[in-house]
Amino acid sequence: MTTPAAVSKLNTNLFIDGQWVPARSGATFDVVNPATEEVLAVVADGAAADATAALDAAVAVQAEWAATAPRERGEILRRAFELITERTDEIASIMTAEMGKPLAEAKGEVAYGAEFFRWFSEEAVRISGDQLLAPDGKTRYFVQRQPVGPCVLVTPWNFPLAMGTRKIGPAVAAGCTMVFKPAELTPLTSLALVEILAEAGLPDGVLNVVNTTDPGDVVTAWMTDPRARKVSFTGSTPVGKQLLKQAADNVMRTSMELGGNAPFLVFDDADLDVAIGGAMAAKMRNMGEACVAANRIYVQSGVAEEFSNRLAEKMRALTVGDGATEGVGVGPLIEQKALDKVVQLVDDAVERGAEVKVGGDRPEGDGFFYNPTVLSNVSSESDLMSTEIFGPVAAVVPFDTEEEAIALANATPFGLAGYLFTTDLNRAFRVSDAMEVGMVGLNTGIVSNPAAPFGGIKQSGLGREGGSEGIDEFLEVKLIAMPQP
Ligand code: NAD
């Protein structure tokens, strides 16, 4: 295996108060390439004492950082956007090596992730307030927005750049300092990002990064420290719930982007070409390892067989392999545990009567690969209908009526994304309104964009990232009352 040059160049220490420092314990951990199972890099392994030092640094510069001109904060983000864009190939090579997604998708994530910085560079100078007169005419009220204070940021491994920029962008724009813990499976992209932000002029102490193999230890040190005023978390629902409980003790502000179980509805009046294209995007992006991945594909009975066959044909045409290799469309899953879970979910569905249209197995050799799979006539009792598959497996279930489709779509404690394919305008709005989700893809398999509010309802989370809503998550409202002269 050749380690990408961009990986070899990285500083893999902790980043605290503008300095690259080893963990106090001297501990390190290995980062593994999921396509080859070989060690890619060795990274400093932080613990609670490092976490506290990072928070000390963030707290020390909070007031000064909050007082910087919005334009200055915006221009740091804008410069970082330019630098990320210039270094697209380097960052994409790091991401593919540590996470597995094909290079073309990694470049797509670089563009998407960078865009959060451009978007929030523009939002930094548009933090508005309000002014009003009391109904009795005696008092004037000024409504202002101020940064919430030092923030705890915790991100998952599946979008190693974008999950970070989606939080760091609005925090910088709002004037918050940060302590940041990237996912231990993919710490390298975040280290490249930190270097870029420092180069773009982010002052020392504003962003501090602690990688660790003991997230509970590091994050608990922050969550139990009353100086941390907000937590923004993206990851699984069980960890999100735990952080919400910890946040309660310090009454911290919270933003939670948690797990999904997206329904994907195809009605018999849908344009099947559009629906198949949407299913490929919503299922196969990131090898299915996305919180908005289509998890349960419900297709009206009249077109279910044709839909499954055509989807299987598209899936069969995909090349599985190391994402760094040209022409590969499906990379490995993130780790052995993830692969074992997908194997188990497919086996369970098949035991309960699902028909394997394509795939259903894994290729020989090293790496955590699973073949693109289409299962039809999946029983609603199957485990994969209630579990995030997080793999390249499309589970197709037939339905008969619109009411049945809506009931099936909503029969989950999650509510992140949902997809709907129909050419009937009335049905489009009726079903969109009835779907219990934060985001609906209407005749499209892609919902996310930095300019649009991303987030879920029910157990998929609290708050929104991106859009004009994203910066509000990092701002407090302050009222100043003054007698009317
Ligand atoms: P995870 O919850 O295991 O890990 C997410 C982050 O939390 C990682 O940085 C991890 O180190 C940290 N963590 C783990 N245990 C912790 C603890 N006890 N205390 C504090 N932090 C802890 O999730 P994952 O496997 O990395 O990511 C997959 C999950 O993320 C899926 O459920 C997916 O749907 C969800 N996700 C959601 C969104 C969204 O925007 N809603 C986006 C991407 C991923």
Side-chain angles (χ1 to χ4, degrees), residues 318-334:
L318 295 171
T319 307
V320 179
D322 186 335
T325 308
E326 193 70 32
V328 163
V330 184
L333 298 180
I334 186 70

Side-chain angles (χ1 to χ4, degrees), residues 6 48 67 152 182 199 211 223 258 297 324 356 389 393 397 399 421 443 452 456:
V152 176
E199 200 176 325
N211 282 307
M223 296 300 293
L258 309 179
I297 302 179
V356 180
I389 303 170
V393 177
V397 183
F399 70 86
F421 290 77
N443 293 322

